[in-house]
Amino acid sequence: MAKLYIEGGKRLTGKIKLQGAKNSALPLLAASMLVDGTTLLHNCPNLSDVSAAIRILDSLGYKCTQTGNDVFVKASMPLCDCVSPELMQEMRSSVVFLGAILARCGSATVTTPGGCELGPRPIDIHLKAIQELGFSVEENGGYICCKRVNMPKEVDITLDFASVGATENVILASCISGSTVYLHNAAKEPEIKDLADFLNKAGAKIYGAGTDTVTIIGVEKINSVEHTVIPDRIVAATYMSAAAVTGGDIEITNINCEHMRRIIASYSEMGCDIVFCENSLRIRAPEKLRRIKATRSTVYPGFPTDAGPLLVASLVKASGTSTFVETIFENRFNYIDELRRLGADIKVYNRVAIVEGVSKLNAANLCCTDLRGGAAEVVLALAADGITSIDKIHHIERGYEKIEETLSGVFANIKKE
Ligand code: EPZ
């Protein structure tokens, strides 16, 4: 199993071209199932989660080819309405294929996605909405079987929580149907709008994506489409943190700063000088980062839960005491034990992390706990004296395209062996 080896202490400077967003590419690949024709996605990141989504599409009879950051999907009628348990388990977000399969086949059999490092990850909100769309839902022996039983002309759905995945599943399950759906308390993350933009380009009628009420007027079919995946705002926050903890000066291009406003506010509050326009951002870190007011993760446009570990890693190097409150996932703090091995002083009380800034960190042998926690370990290792090793980097490779090459490009001492 490969590991990352990072010799900390280097000031990161230079330019990084930001990758496409994993959390947009995955629902877009599911949406390609609805297209009566071909789909060409640009700026699709080369990630293990994207490869897993492509394997699911292949298993359903869709011919996919990924060349660099382009993914071409040739549609067909799905060979079947089920995804194998092995494929479902490979990736947490495979549940987003549920809505697409239902739209195409009128039925679907998937496995209840297992828990993951962040907590149980239930899909009750997805299934309740799917029932309101006119599907029966039966769960037995770890399988979920859905079947269309009626097609309501109009349906009002209000999600109990603004779930990103549930919002995506409702849009996918209803955009080629005979129903008009009014979805309330919808997730407002940029990835939702990217999905709606893709589908509308193909001929769908989806209005209000990015607000908390999305209207989907089902159409008979949607056609071939070419689309560029939005930039990855969480990967952007990761490289901002790498600059922050090393006193660095990094320019990030191919970014969408409109998606970064809440994140930019926190790094500015820490004392970073941030200059940005629509699709580039330059961050220059101060000699010493400042503590910040208590910050809590919440739904978009609030501070994103996925950027929480990166913010906490940065605050380890800030002077004074900062507090971060995680409100979305139960086990988001698993990575903190690993940061402590480097010398971080963080106390955790349930979902509250209290970070005491330290001036010295020392290398250690770490192990990734999850995707964003692993990224936080990489960030903090960049500021630790000595050579840190990081094991189980498959977690990081789910969401970061060649992280070692990207960081080496801004003079980090990092290698994968
Ligand atoms: C998406 O996950 C992202 N994943 C997550 O990113 C991100 O953290 C999350 O949204 C929140 O922004 C992808 O887009 C592939 P949710 P998702 O449904 O859709 C609870 C990363 O690091 N919930 O908005 O699964 C759930 O347990 C990943 O890239 C229910 O209780 O998130 C969680 O506590 C991690 N029942 C909260 O809602 C449900 O039916 C947020 O979940 C659904 C969700």
Side-chain angles (χ1 to χ4, degrees), residues 38 64 77 79 97 109 162 169 173 187 212 224 246 255 267 279 310 312 319-320 323 331 336 341:
T38 58
C64 308
M77 267 316 280
L79 291 180
F97 280 86
T109 302
N169 258 331
D212 55 15
S224 296
T246 61
I255 187 172
Y267 286 80
N279 51 20
L310 294 324
V312 166
S319 54
T323 304
N331 306 343
I336 288 179
R341 292 176 197 278

Side-chain angles (χ1 to χ4, degrees), residues 158-170:
T158 301
L159 299 179
D160 290 347
F161 173 80
S163 155
V164 172
T167 302
E168 290 163 348
N169 258 331
V170 169

Side-chain angles (χ1 to χ4, degrees), residues 22-24 26-27 49 92-93 95 116 118-127 161-166 168 187 189 191 233-234 298-300 304-306 327-330 332 351 370-372 398-399:
K22 164 181 86 80
N23 292 348
S24 193
L26 297 177
D49 269 9
R92 283 283 326 134
S93 42
V95 70
C116 75
L118 303 178
R121 302 297 288 274
I123 58 168
D124 54 313
I125 299 171
H126 297 242
L127 299 180
F161 173 80
S163 155
V164 172
E168 290 163 348
E189 273 68 5
E191 293 75 26
R233 57 202 171 97
I234 309 302
T298 183
V299 296
Y300 192 86
T305 173
D306 294 348
T327 69
I328 304 289
F329 286 108
E330 285 159 10
R332 189 104 233 191
R351 292 195 181 201
D370 58 77
L371 166 55
R372 305 303 173 183
R398 287 187 43 218

